[in-house]
């Protein structure tokens, strides 16, 4: 019987996760990351910020250690190409993740088998789809970690206007051949 199959190991793993969740996830750092890597598989949502240089050094380090790295490519028209991002981050391969892939929650299933990174333009939880993804991960007991970054909300605040006075926020998705949403019209 391998050590990882023993009841002691499973109890140790749960205690360690609770400790790390309550202490180091609040202020992630390299030390807590190394300790967590001993036993846990994760889904990482990593914010890229607003330009190709925006990803944090810590986010870059995590992305490089993941078995698969996805780039969510449907909520924004990137100001840079996928190839440019891949080269800048020094990654061998970035898989594109469209709305259907994210909403199918296959990424959560993959995170039970290996470390998975989902790169998101701006900040990961600005889009409701990503919040739904995290809620589903919680429901299924899949561990996740969110690495925040600057978003369009931060950029708007640079104007000096107060964000809470802007009103309801909406997305204006690009129309495609078989996809012509108009739900944002009432808000705009």
């Amino acid at each position: 019987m391998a050590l990882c199959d023993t009841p002691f190991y499973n109890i140790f793993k749960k205690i360690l996760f609770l400790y790390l969740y309550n202490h180091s996830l609040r202020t992630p750092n390299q030390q807590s990351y190394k300790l967590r890597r001993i036993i846990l598989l994760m889904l990482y949502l990593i914010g890229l910020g607003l330009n190709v240089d925006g990803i944090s050094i810590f986010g870059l380090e995590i992305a490089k250690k993941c078995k698969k790295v996805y780039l969510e490519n449907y909520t924004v028209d990137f100001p840079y190409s996928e190839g440019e991002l891949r080269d800048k981050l020094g990654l061998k391969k970035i898989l594109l993740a469209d709305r259907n892939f994210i909403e199918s929650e296959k990424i959560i299933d993959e995170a039970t088998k290996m470390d998975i990174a989902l790169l998101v333009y701006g900040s990961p939880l600005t889009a409701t789809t990503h919040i739904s993804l995290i809620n589903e991960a919680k429901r299924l007991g899949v561990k996740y970690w969110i690495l925040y970054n600057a978003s369009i909300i931060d950029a708007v605040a640079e104007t000096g206007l107060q964000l809470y006075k802007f009103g309801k926020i909406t997305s204006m998705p690009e129309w495609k051949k078989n996809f012509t949403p108009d739900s944002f019209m009432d808000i705009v």
Side-chain angles (χ1 to χ4, degrees), residues 13-37:
K13 189 168 144 177
K14 288 177 183 174
I15 291 170
L16 181 60
F17 176 76
L18 288 173
Y19 171 80
L20 293 170
Y21 185 81
N22 289 321
H23 293 88
S24 56
L25 286 184
R26 292 185 191 143
T27 55
N29 59 43
Q30 195 147 359
Q31 186 69 24
S32 65
Y33 173 74
K34 287 178 180 174
L35 187 56
R36 288 173 58 243
R37 289 300 314 123

Side-chain angles (χ1 to χ4, degrees), residues 9-67:
Y9 180 78
N10 291 329
I11 292 169
F12 170 74
K13 189 168 144 177
K14 288 177 183 174
I15 291 170
L16 181 60
F17 176 76
L18 288 173
Y19 171 80
L20 293 170
Y21 185 81
N22 289 321
H23 293 88
S24 56
L25 286 184
R26 292 185 191 143
T27 55
N29 59 43
Q30 195 147 359
Q31 186 69 24
S32 65
Y33 173 74
K34 287 178 180 174
L35 187 56
R36 288 173 58 243
R37 289 300 314 123
I38 296 170
I39 57 173
L40 302 175
L41 298 174
M42 286 270 173
L43 169 62
Y44 296 94
L45 276 77
I46 303 173
L48 293 173
L50 298 176
N51 62 47
V52 75
D53 297 315
I55 190 170
S56 69
I57 294 170
F58 187 55
L60 178 58
E61 181 181 318
I62 288 175
K64 286 181 177 179
K65 292 181 180 184
C66 286
K67 296 288 184 197

Side-chain angles (χ1 to χ4, degrees), residues 8-160:
F8 170 76
Y9 180 78
N10 291 329
I11 292 169
F12 170 74
K13 189 168 144 177
K14 288 177 183 174
I15 291 170
L16 181 60
F17 176 76
L18 288 173
Y19 171 80
L20 293 170
Y21 185 81
N22 289 321
H23 293 88
S24 56
L25 286 184
R26 292 185 191 143
T27 55
N29 59 43
Q30 195 147 359
Q31 186 69 24
S32 65
Y33 173 74
K34 287 178 180 174
L35 187 56
R36 288 173 58 243
R37 289 300 314 123
I38 296 170
I39 57 173
L40 302 175
L41 298 174
M42 286 270 173
L43 169 62
Y44 296 94
L45 276 77
I46 303 173
L48 293 173
L50 298 176
N51 62 47
V52 75
D53 297 315
I55 190 170
S56 69
I57 294 170
F58 187 55
L60 178 58
E61 181 181 318
I62 288 175
K64 286 181 177 179
K65 292 181 180 184
C66 286
K67 296 288 184 197
K68 284 189 179 178
V69 177
Y70 290 98
L71 175 64
E72 183 268 277
N73 68 341
Y74 65 89
T75 57
V76 69
D77 284 331
F78 284 92
Y80 47 83
S81 70
E82 177 264 333
E84 208 179 339
L85 178 65
R86 186 186 61 243
D87 294 343
K88 185 72 176 178
L89 300 182
L91 299 172
K92 292 178 184 173
K93 187 174 185 181
I94 296 178
L95 305 166
L96 298 179
D98 61 9
R99 179 182 287 278
N100 291 335
F101 178 76
I102 299 296
E103 290 179 350
S104 74
E105 298 169 354
K106 290 177 187 172
I107 196 167
I108 294 173
D109 183 50
E110 288 182 353
T112 63
K113 300 173 183 92
M114 66 186 91
D115 285 326
I116 302 291
L118 177 62
L119 303 177
V120 178
Y121 185 76
S123 190
L125 297 186
T126 303
T128 55
T129 305
H130 305 133
I131 294 170
S132 298
L133 192 66
I134 292 304
N135 288 338
E136 188 63 14
K138 284 180 190 176
R139 189 183 74 74
L140 296 173
V142 174
K143 310 300 183 259
Y144 64 91
W145 197 350
I146 302 161
L147 283 84
Y148 299 96
N149 210 320
S151 73
I152 191 65
I153 308 284
D154 300 306
V156 169
E158 188 178 0
T159 65

